[in-house]
Amino acid sequence: MYHKEKSIQIKNSASALYNNLSVLRIAPRSLTYFTVVHANVVNMVSASWDGLNYSHRQLQSKEPNVATSTSLIMQAAWCVLPSRDLLVLTSQKGIQMYESDGSIMVYWHALDTPETPTAQAVFARGIAAVREKYICVGVSSGAMLVFDIPTKGSNITLAEVLEEHKESITDMASECSGSLECIADLVSADDAGNLCVWKSGEEFQLLNKIPGFDMCCSSVKLWKGTVVAGYGTGQIRLYEAVTGILHAEVSAHARWIYSLDIAPFSGLLLSAAEDSLVRVWHLTQTPETNSVEIAHMYNECVTDTQICGAKFCDGDGYAFAVTGYDLSEIIRYTQT
Amino acid sequence: MSSRTLPLLFINLGGEMLYILDQRLRAQNIPADKAKKADWIEADRRRVMNDIITTMFNKKFLEELFKPQELYSKKALRTVFDRLAHASIMRLNQASMDKLYDLMTMAFKYQVLLCPRPKDILLVSFNHMDAIKDFVKDTPSILSQVDETYRQLIEIYTPLSSGEFQLIRQTLLIFFQDMHIRVSIFLKDKVQNSNGRFVLPTSGPVPHGTQIPGLIRIFSCTGEEVSRLQFSNGGNYTSALREGSLEMFGDRVIKLGTNMYSVSRPVETHMSGTSKNSSQHTKVNTAPNPLAKEELNLLARLMGGLEVKKPGNTESGFRVNLFATDEEEEEALISRPDELSYGVINIQATKDQQANAELAKIMGEFTEAEDQSPHASSKGDDLLAMMDGL
């Protein structure tokens, strides 16, 4: 179904972090941007679609006013809003937002870090752009920060702090189908596998809480009102977001799942894990019975690689990209 | 990232160090140079092991170690282990210490990477702790020190969630990132590839709590299972083994972290990996250190608890060589037959009665010179100087 394309070399290898690959398509310029986190550096590559031009940029997790030390980065992700695209970095010290090409840092939010380290680690992780103007970021305390993003400029404000999770946030995702009929806008996941389903607005509204089973949910997606969650046990679960009804449970991987992605137009689902396997699934909704089904489509083994990032490169799932721990390349696959 | 990582890193690396030293100290019958037949006395081996373990589990040292903190840089941690390796009458030169440290770190990297669940890092640690207890089983005072640490490990780590263990594992993997030193025991066992990457099996038992991939279950709105679909998982997995014991005693089930060396499986490094190693190390060391500033103080505090014995004139200090010099290593590569070409680590433990006094003196000088090796530049040196002043 897919075949391997030429890999993209990156300057530093990928760290073992959840969802450690972000992809942004810049259609007007026939470019695709990729980011991969390496310890305290973000590797950014812009690749032309003809495969002839690659340009690299590295971003450090430096706080603007402190010259002493840098901190480890937990995640880097592009946030696509109707008015603008931003690149968001989360680290042990705080949250950085850049223009999408990584050129200018437009916002810095410092986390409350104690003088001496505490048993509870401090970091931000989990990034999602929601509807017209919000970017949500998770924190290790379980809090979720909602930032209000102006259509241009750097006047970004912290609009709200949502405190429903008791465990560290692992990932969050907004409705990716673009459908305005879906009530739920955002789903957030934590270290204990608890899921919270939200409706965005001037005040975010908690629609539903889906209890976990003490197993970390490392990656989560929201597609046409269905929550797709990947767990440390290698399971994938499909829930109806607003009711929490379990539609499907898949024994998908032999080890910890690190990344899920959905191609919203085709309903293809990508899952990747420490077991070195990437699998492609197909989701179908049956509106009459109000149910969702999942079918297995394809396996790809990236030999001897604990995969930490996997993303579709387009909305149809025609191509996907993968990266793994200690790997200094982004491997791409396209449909045959 | 996780502020609970350092104790596990230290204990597991320390455990690997003890395995290697123990095996080399026992291997009396394989001197490289027949003229210098090693004359090792069992009592000395025990003394070295006991001294190092006593230092490792020093109360004050462990108090500092168990405080929540970020990981040190590679260089700083290496300094700690330099000190620890020299906690007894045994001496290692720079090259041997490099080799020892390479072997320790690659072994633990392998264990962290391969442990089935993140929580199994604790079982790996317990395998090391069990072996350490066995090393000192005849010395009750040291044994009680080790047991105390055991209790602390259980108290701190067993309540942690799966997500917190994954964070610890991810922190360790960042520490070991880009280290691809080839280790012959791994290459022989076909668990490491010639490019230094470890082999990840797509067969064998799945982790405890995980189902064999291959089943899709679809449910109705009322929660009834309406269909079951199978898919090909692309591997050859078997059911999970039972969970290893997280108590002070018991079967850990997993083998990672147990002693992989024996007389028939000696400690060796792969020859051709060496030149690569050094460049790899340089690359790693030039990476910006996120903790440069605070680290110095933390390390000084930590190492305040580490006592280092220097062999005096009356003591029979001796050197353990894993590699003497680059020249020697090159020579060995050329002159040795193929089957021995991996056996580059040789112990030349010399404890000749007659030469004793003079040797001890020379070795004393060697140690001094090594401590101020030109390679261990900047912070490492300052720290060592600082420690000497303590």
Side-chain angles (χ1 to χ4, degrees), chain B residues 314-327:
Chain B
T314 52
E315 291 222 79
S316 54
F318 56 84
R319 278 178 71 189
V320 171
N321 282 2
L322 285 92
F323 269 135
T325 61
D326 287 356
E327 289 83 356

Side-chain angles (χ1 to χ4, degrees), chain B residues 145-163:
Chain B
Q145 249 179 284
V146 179
D147 277 340
E148 178 53 38
T149 308
Y150 226 126
R151 276 188 285 276
Q152 246 176 306
L153 283 173
I154 291 170
E155 189 188 310
I156 293 171
Y157 290 99
T158 51
L160 297 189
S161 70
S162 62

Side-chain angles (χ1 to χ4, degrees), chain B residues 80-358:
Chain B
V80 173
F81 280 100
D82 269 5
R83 277 294 151 116
L84 188 58
H86 290 107
S88 188
I89 50 173
M90 180 191 70
R91 288 293 170 268
L92 293 156
N93 70 10
Q94 190 72 43
S96 293
M97 190 62 216
D98 284 345
K99 277 296 157 203
L100 175 64
Y101 196 66
D102 284 351
L103 286 171
M104 290 154 52
T105 47
M106 287 310 281
F108 188 43
K109 178 177 184 177
Y110 175 72
Q111 292 153 9
V112 173
L113 199 71
L114 269 284
C115 69
R117 302 171 303 171
K119 194 178 185 177
D120 292 327
I121 288 172
L122 199 51
L123 293 172
V124 171
S125 310
F126 287 177
N127 273 333
H128 280 122
M129 290 293 288
D130 290 342
I132 291 167
K133 279 178 71 175
D134 193 56
F135 282 137
V136 293
K137 62 175 182 291
D138 299 328
T139 319
S141 60
I142 310 174
L143 196 60
S144 69
Q145 249 179 284
V146 179
D147 277 340
E148 178 53 38
T149 308
Y150 226 126
R151 276 188 285 276
Q152 246 176 306
L153 283 173
I154 291 170
E155 189 188 310
I156 293 171
Y157 290 99
T158 51
L160 297 189
S161 70
S162 62
E164 284 171 295
F165 270 110
Q166 184 63 282
L167 193 69
I168 289 175
R169 185 172 169 276
Q170 290 171 341
T171 310
L172 288 169
L173 288 175
I174 287 174
F175 185 83
F176 292 126
Q177 200 162 343
D178 298 322
M179 294 181 76
H180 300 291
I181 299 154
R182 292 187 288 171
V183 176
S184 80
I185 202 165
F186 289 141
L187 293 165
K188 277 188 198 163
D189 288 351
K190 300 213 173 357
V191 299
Q192 192 180 25
N193 294 312
S194 56
N195 61 4
R197 293 184 68 86
F198 290 114
V199 172
L200 300 180
T202 53
S203 61
V206 295
H208 184 82
T210 292
Q211 303 296 316
I212 296 173
L215 182 66
I216 301 170
R217 297 163 70 200
I218 307 284
F219 301 95
S220 72
C221 291
T222 53
E224 287 164 68
E225 187 180 305
V226 291
S227 68
R228 275 181 177 235
L229 296 160
Q230 302 278 338
F231 69 91
S232 152
N233 64 25
N236 187 21
Y237 300 101
T238 55
S239 303
L241 303 174
R242 69 182 191 285
E243 192 175 27
S245 164
L246 290 164
E247 310 279 313
M248 190 104 114
F249 300 94
D251 185 357
R252 312 299 174 199
V253 181
I254 70 166
K255 295 291 168 236
L256 294 167
T258 57
N259 196 343
M260 60 178 173
Y261 307 104
S262 65
V263 179
S264 57
R265 286 162 57 84
V267 177
E268 312 166 313
T269 52
H270 195 261
M271 291 296 291
S272 52
T274 324
S275 56
K276 249 187 163 177
N277 297 351
S278 42
S279 63
Q280 197 57 261
H281 273 293
T282 320
K283 191 184 162 195
V284 169
N285 286 342
T286 53
N289 167 21
L291 296 156
K293 220 178 174 183
E294 309 99 278
E295 187 175 75
L296 206 108
N297 294 327
L298 282 167
L299 191 60
R301 257 202 354 246
L302 181 65
M303 302 220 338
L306 267 187
E307 282 172 44
V308 176
K309 288 184 189 169
K310 289 209 167 184
N313 282 339
T314 52
E315 291 222 79
S316 54
F318 56 84
R319 278 178 71 189
V320 171
N321 282 2
L322 285 92
F323 269 135
T325 61
D326 287 356
E327 289 83 356
E328 260 187 58
E329 181 205 319
E330 254 170 71
E331 209 177 291
L333 178 65
I334 299 158
S335 60
R336 270 161 179 267
D338 279 344
E339 71 215 89
L340 280 174
S341 68
Y342 294 137
V344 286
I345 298 175
N346 298 305
I347 289 197
Q348 294 163 6
T350 315
K351 190 176 164 274
D352 191 270
Q353 286 281 348
Q354 293 173 318
N356 202 6
E358 200 179 351

Side-chain angles (χ1 to χ4, degrees), chain A:
Chain A
M1 187 177 170
Y2 288 87
H3 69 272
K4 196 174 163 181
E5 292 271 335
K6 198 174 142 230
S7 292
I8 301 171
Q9 300 303 312
I10 46 177
K11 298 286 179 195
N12 304 100
S13 62
S15 292
L17 299 164
Y18 306 144
N19 307 299
N20 189 5
L21 177 65
S22 184
V23 176
L24 180 70
R25 257 167 80 93
I26 315 274
R29 293 166 59 203
S30 302
L31 284 175
T32 304
Y33 288 168
F34 299 88
T35 56
V36 176
V37 176
H38 167 94
N40 57 345
V41 179
V42 175
N43 292 295
M44 186 178 156
V45 187
S46 112
S48 65
W49 290 356
D50 57 17
L52 296 175
N53 290 303
Y54 298 99
S55 71
H56 298 263
R57 188 191 282 269
Q58 288 185 314
L59 301 174
Q60 294 261 347
S61 65
K62 248 183 230 137
E63 305 81 293
N65 51 351
V66 187
T68 49
S69 63
T70 60
S71 64
L72 294 171
I73 299 172
M74 300 297 292
Q75 197 182 358
W78 272 288
C79 288
V80 177
L81 294 166
S83 59
R84 67 199 291 192
D85 301 341
L86 291 173
L87 174 61
V88 179
L89 268 56
T90 62
S91 72
Q92 294 177 293
K93 295 277 167 67
I95 299 153
Q96 289 169 292
M97 296 188 193
Y98 288 83
E99 294 294 353
S100 64
D101 61 358
S103 59
I104 303 159
M105 182 159 75
V106 292
Y107 184 69
W108 159 252
H109 176 89
L111 293 177
D112 282 331
T113 44
E115 281 280 306
T116 49
T118 51
Q120 167 71 51
V122 176
F123 56 83
R125 178 176 64 191
I127 304 164
V130 187
R131 293 289 183 206
E132 301 301 312
K133 57 166 188 170
Y134 298 108
I135 288 179
C136 297
V137 177
V139 182
S140 53
S141 65
M144 291 165 61
L145 311 180
V146 180
F147 295 99
D148 191 328
I149 313 293
T151 52
K152 58 185 173 186
S154 58
N155 190 24
I156 294 168
T157 52
L158 177 62
E160 204 178 346
V161 179
L162 307 172
E163 287 174 328
E164 285 295 335
H165 289 277
K166 300 283 171 279
E167 310 286 331
S168 299
I169 303 288
T170 47
D171 192 25
M172 56 178 80
S174 55
E175 172 62 47
C176 64
S177 68
S179 161
L180 294 169
E181 290 165 22
C182 299
I183 304 155
D185 291 325
L186 176 71
V187 59
S188 50
D190 70 23
D191 257 351
N194 301 303
L195 304 170
C196 287
V197 178
W198 306 87
K199 168 127 196 85
S200 67
E202 287 306 313
E203 277 185 13
F204 274 55
Q205 185 191 340
L206 179 72
L207 297 177
N208 190 22
K209 243 184 181 177
I210 303 171
F213 40 102
D214 271 339
M215 174 44 73
C216 174
C217 172
S218 47
S219 194
V220 72
K221 286 284 170 267
L222 182 57
W223 178 72
K224 294 185 178 174
T226 299
V227 173
V228 185
Y231 298 89
T233 50
Q235 266 193 342
I236 296 173
R237 289 175 162 217
L238 270 56
Y239 291 100
E240 187 174 280
V242 288
T243 61
I245 290 170
L246 179 67
H247 284 309
E249 191 179 81
V250 185
S251 301
H253 288 274
R255 288 182 68 167
W256 204 287
I257 292 176
Y258 259 59
S259 193
L260 295 177
D261 196 28
I262 286 181
F265 306 143
S266 61
L268 290 180
L269 167 70
L270 191 68
S271 67
E274 285 180 350
D275 62 3
S276 75
L277 283 147
V278 188
R279 303 192 199 276
V280 180
W281 315 81
H282 188 232
L283 305 180
T284 35
Q285 280 192 324
T286 320
E288 303 86 66
T289 57
N290 196 26
S291 67
V292 183
E293 298 211 354
I294 176 168
H296 176 255
M297 303 293 287
Y298 179 75
N299 290 332
E300 180 72 46
C301 181
V302 188
T303 308
D304 299 336
T305 303
Q306 294 197 343
I307 299 162
C308 54
K311 278 277 186 297
F312 283 120
C313 300
D314 56 278
D316 293 305
Y318 174 73
F320 66 85
V322 170
T323 191
Y325 170 64
D326 252 352
L327 209 63
S328 299
E329 58 182 329
I330 298 166
I331 309 171
R332 287 186 295 179
Y333 300 86
T334 47
Q335 272 183 26
T336 37

